[in-house]
Amino acid sequence: MIPDADREALRTAARTALEGGWREGTTPDGVRYAYTRPAPRYPDQFFWDSCLHAVAWSRIDPSRARAELRSLVAAQRPDGLIGHTIFWNGRVRAMRAPIYNVLERGDRATWTIQPPLLGWAWEQVAARSSDDPGFAAEGLAPVAALHGWLERERAGPDGLVGILQPDESGMDASPAYDGPLGLRAHGRLGFMRVLWFNRRRGYRYREVVADGGFHAIDPLVNTALAMSWAALGRLGHPDGARRAAAITAAMVDRLHDPATGLLLPEGPDGRPLRVSTWASLAPLALDDLPAEIGRRLVDEHLLNPARYWLPYPVPSTAADEGAFRPGSLGRVLPRYWRGPTWLFATLPLLEGLLRAGRADAARELAARTARLVTRSGLREYYNPYTGEGLGAGPFATSAIAFDAVERVR
Ligand code: GLC
């Protein structure tokens, strides 16, 4: 049971963080935008944050949810790409330009991606948009165009899409990619070499791969794509269900590791990368994940107190990994996602627990999440043992926890 006071505290925190981050305006060339910035230190529109903001907004003010998703679409390039970060407020700040994935300072968005959750978010928001009945159909063409770009630019014959930098996985310094990157890992000085390598190739994935650059098949990114295709199917896209099923099947075929039961990322040499992060549990969010694979993910990993079932779950990296650190790491360039709990993960894993018939555990996850926010507010991430809030705050993207908790009553 979640105490009413915790539920209310979460609703208030979500509303305050989302309202505090709201930005709207018109660019000099007349494009209107409206979105939530995650925190003052992140003033721009971030792709997957925005998808999660929109879902959280849909429980508070659906018109803002729709505006936020429409802004992502307003940033779509003619070829279909919607970048990882969109710079509505003008040019990339000069200080940051060297580490942003742009070709020129005037670029409105990065040339890199984040987990493609747009179709999924569109469906969630459409379900709460009875006051705007055209909204559901409006998403079909832009989301399909984004998926088309991913397929053309990033996918192999089995449809799984690749990433060319670890931050494209959403988990910037994921320890899963330490092996192939070494001193070039995110948050280390050598990461600049990865950035420059990719920039010189115009961020063209196939060129990066051909020239021996870092690349990987990430389970979280492909889960997002399968979720997005499935949602698009339910919104009316004739091919959505088939595409979603094909991606799930390809992930099971290519990423599932029978020894551990995890869906592991595949590294540049085609071999599995064996560090366990929540990205390997994310496929639990898929309707058509084979039940036995889901059962192992839940019993051996998610609900294992030595791995992910810590006092304030779900840690971004399994607690029994050598790389696991429960607190902040890195002062100049923070090294994210190496242990702390990020609330981005709560919703897909909670849905996965419900789907696996583990309603008690889903309720427990929601209750601990609500307690965490009551204790520490909406922060960027948290120590999974103590619940201490870390990183930026108030952090709007963590408002997604409100939606997750509302799903279990
Ligand atoms: C960090 C996170 C990334 C997020 C961004 C904005 O870079 O790793 O996932 O999108 O912050 O919140």
Side-chain angles (χ1 to χ4, degrees), residues 205-266:
Y205 178 76
R206 298 192 199 286
E207 222 170 296
V208 169
V209 172
D211 291 348
F214 169 83
H215 60 99
I217 304 293
D218 181 84
L220 174 54
V221 168
N222 284 286
T223 296
L225 182 59
M227 287 166 73
S228 207
W229 265 127
L232 219 52
R234 290 185 294 265
L235 287 172
H237 191 290
D239 229 15
R242 189 181 63 78
R243 302 299 264 280
I247 290 171
T248 305
M251 270 202 290
V252 168
D253 190 44
R254 190 159 160 194
L255 306 184
H256 181 247
D257 173 49
T260 59
L262 294 167
L263 283 100
L264 296 169
E266 183 188 289

Side-chain angles (χ1 to χ4, degrees), residues 37-39 42 44 46-50 53 84-85 114-115 167 169-173 186 336-337 342 344 380 395 397:
R37 63 149 163 68
Y42 303 111
D44 304 304
F46 287 81
F47 182 94
W48 79 321
D49 298 70
S50 254
H53 297 152
H84 170 303
T85 314
Q114 268 191 326
D167 42 309
S169 75
M171 299 177 61
D172 297 10
H186 198 281
Y336 293 139
W337 302 94
W342 293 65
F344 291 60
E380 191 174 7
F395 188 69
T397 318

